[in-house]
């Protein structure tokens, strides 16, 4: 079956190197399943925080960037079309990111990356969680436990709404920084 891009949950990438290998797991040492030539377009459903893309509609993972390669040779696949709503935008070489829950009411850990998915647990404000992959619509997959968490706050209420607008988190300590004023989690800057 051919994967069809869902503009809410998937993104289309184009291979910009001579070729990109598709691996069984998001690791260079994993078995190579296939090779995508320059110009190939692939539909992806997830991205790791260290640059791997999970293919949708077929098995495998492909590197998006070759960090540490010679300047000008780092990009392996380029995002086409609209932006991705990533909670963790910066490359995390260790493959994991520490996030602090900022939403005042806490945040649910869900079975799948959807508000309709069954809630597995709740995380309180100030709790730290670790993530290794994320969807293109603001969800992070947790490391060390099952589940996904929504990393984006709902849109600011309209002017006609009586609900107060979400407040930007207070300034943080040196070891944490806000990912953006619209995220209910903030991202650790230091190594884990």
């Amino acid at each position: 079956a051919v994967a069809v891009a869902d503009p809410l949950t998937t993104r289309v990438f184009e291979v910009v190197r001579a070729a990109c290998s598709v691996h069984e797991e998001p690791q260079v040492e994993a078995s190579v399943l296939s090779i995508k030539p320059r110009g190939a377009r692939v539909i992806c459903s997830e991205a790791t925080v260290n640059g791997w893309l999970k293919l949708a509609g077929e098995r495998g993972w492909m590197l998006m960037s070759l960090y540490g390669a010679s300047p000008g040779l780092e990009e392996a696949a380029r995002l086409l079309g609209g932006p991705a709503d990533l909670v963790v935008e910066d490359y995390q070489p260790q493959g994991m990111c520490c996030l602090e829950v900022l939403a005042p009411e806490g945040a649910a850990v869900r079975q799948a990356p959807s508000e309709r998915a069954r809630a597995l647990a709740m995380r309180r404000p100030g709790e730290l969680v670790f993530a290794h992959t994320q969807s293109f619509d603001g969800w992070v997959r947790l490391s060390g436990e099952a589940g996904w968490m929504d990393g984006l706050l709902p849109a600011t209420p309209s002017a006609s709404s009586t609900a107060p607008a979400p407040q930007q988190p207070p300034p943080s300590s040196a070891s944490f920084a806000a990912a953006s004023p619209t995220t209910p989690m903030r991202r650790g800057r230091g190594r884990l």
Side-chain angles (χ1 to χ4, degrees), residues 50-77:
N50 64 342
W52 288 86
L53 298 167
K54 183 176 184 180
L55 304 185
E58 64 182 293
R59 277 186 32 205
W61 295 79
M62 186 175 81
L63 270 172
M64 176 174 31
S65 298
L66 304 171
Y67 290 96
S70 300
L73 298 177
E74 291 180 334
E75 188 176 42

Side-chain angles (χ1 to χ4, degrees), residues 11-171:
R11 293 296 181 271
V12 177
F13 288 79
E14 181 177 9
V15 175
V16 296
R17 294 184 57 79
C20 271
S21 53
V22 175
H23 295 256
E24 190 169 16
E25 298 293 329
Q27 304 166 3
V28 174
E29 303 82 18
S31 299
V32 174
L33 301 173
S34 65
I35 304 290
K36 300 288 183 184
R38 182 188 318 264
R41 292 184 177 192
V42 293
I43 299 171
C44 301
S45 60
E46 293 178 40
T48 66
V49 297
N50 64 342
W52 288 86
L53 298 167
K54 183 176 184 180
L55 304 185
E58 64 182 293
R59 277 186 32 205
W61 295 79
M62 186 175 81
L63 270 172
M64 176 174 31
S65 298
L66 304 171
Y67 290 96
S70 300
L73 298 177
E74 291 180 334
E75 188 176 42
R78 181 176 299 144
L79 176 64
L80 300 177
D85 288 326
L86 297 175
V87 175
V88 182
E89 294 177 347
D90 298 330
Y91 177 75
Q92 303 293 312
Q94 70 277 20
M96 193 175 308
C97 189
C98 180
L99 301 157
E100 180 182 2
V101 176
L102 297 180
E105 68 281 358
V109 175
R110 299 201 175 271
Q111 188 172 27
S114 166
E115 287 295 328
R116 293 183 300 241
R118 183 170 69 89
L120 302 174
M122 283 295 290
R123 295 292 178 257
R124 295 180 307 273
E127 272 192 82
L128 300 178
V129 296
F130 295 91
H132 62 279
T133 63
Q134 56 191 327
S135 69
F136 295 108
D137 60 343
W139 289 82
V140 293
R141 183 189 297 263
L142 301 181
S143 293
E145 64 181 295
W148 292 79
M149 291 180 74
D150 188 353
L152 302 176
L153 285 172
T156 304
S158 66
S160 62
S161 173
T162 57
Q167 297 295 312
Q168 184 169 348

